[in-house]
Amino acid sequence: MKNIAVFASGFGSNFESIVQAVNDGMLNCNCKVLVTDKANAYCVDRANNHGIEVISFNPKDYGTRQECEKMLVKKLQDRGIDLIVFAGYMRIVTSELISAYPNKIVNIHPALLPAFKGAHAIEDSFNYGVKVFGVTIHFVNEETDGGKIISQRSFDYVEGETIEQVEEKIHKIEHVLYVETLKKLLEE
Ligand code: GAR
């Protein structure tokens, strides 16, 4: 059975839905570890509730991103991690991590890439006035939000909806689409 590591920086609702899917037998893998750059984020409480190991680091403790990722790669390899799942991990990664896990790092993005890359995709697409919103899951490469697309799902904007309502729909789609996509990747 494959071992996955989930990387998250915040609320961790995608992490939670992945763990739930593993526990329900929908995903055939071990969710071995949560990696976070935010020791106080709610995703850490979620990991603790599920008895999942947390690797927490402060980027400021490392001279460079590469140095920090070298430490992470070692810890991931020690734990036999096969697949890395970014779920609201808000750091840009370098070739140090990517070359250690080629085509084995996936990310979820709350917009229809290649539109609205970056950390504020929902706000940016809402303010732009798009009529179709969506979610993208893609492989991580050295171009931020630029790796090969694995899956996407969209929905039409209903006139009058608030950003909060759109955001809720996006998160609901994310939780379903990530599990479906990971299921396929884990079967390959
Ligand atoms: C998700 O909407 C995810 O798509 C987004 O952060 C949120 C994390 O929510 N990621 C990005 O914007 C990456 N550029 P969660 O912590 O509740 O899973």
Side-chain angles (χ1 to χ4, degrees), residues 64-135:
T64 62
R65 274 192 219 158
Q66 284 81 354
E67 221 177 274
C68 178
E69 288 175 12
K70 213 171 255 178
M71 171 282 293
L72 287 177
V73 167
K74 169 88 174 59
K75 286 188 189 286
L76 294 168
Q77 287 173 344
D78 284 350
R79 287 158 181 77
I81 299 300
D82 302 293
L83 181 71
I84 297 176
V85 177
F86 286 180
Y89 183 60
M90 303 310 268
R91 289 183 64 75
I92 290 171
V93 290
T94 75
S95 59
E96 196 70 44
L97 184 66
I98 294 164
S99 62
Y101 283 92
N103 284 323
K104 296 287 177 208
I105 310 175
V106 293
N107 180 44
I108 189 160
H109 185 75
L112 295 170
L113 290 172
F116 303 107
K117 295 178 176 180
H120 310 286
I122 301 178
E123 203 184 331
D124 292 347
S125 39
F126 189 88
N127 291 339
Y128 195 89
V130 302
K131 299 300 175 206
V132 179
F133 287 88
V135 169

Side-chain angles (χ1 to χ4, degrees), residues 107-113 134-138 149 151-153 177:
N107 180 44
I108 189 160
H109 185 75
L112 295 170
L113 290 172
V135 169
T136 304
I137 294 164
H138 63 94
I149 291 174
S151 60
Q152 288 185 308
R153 194 153 294 164
L177 188 64

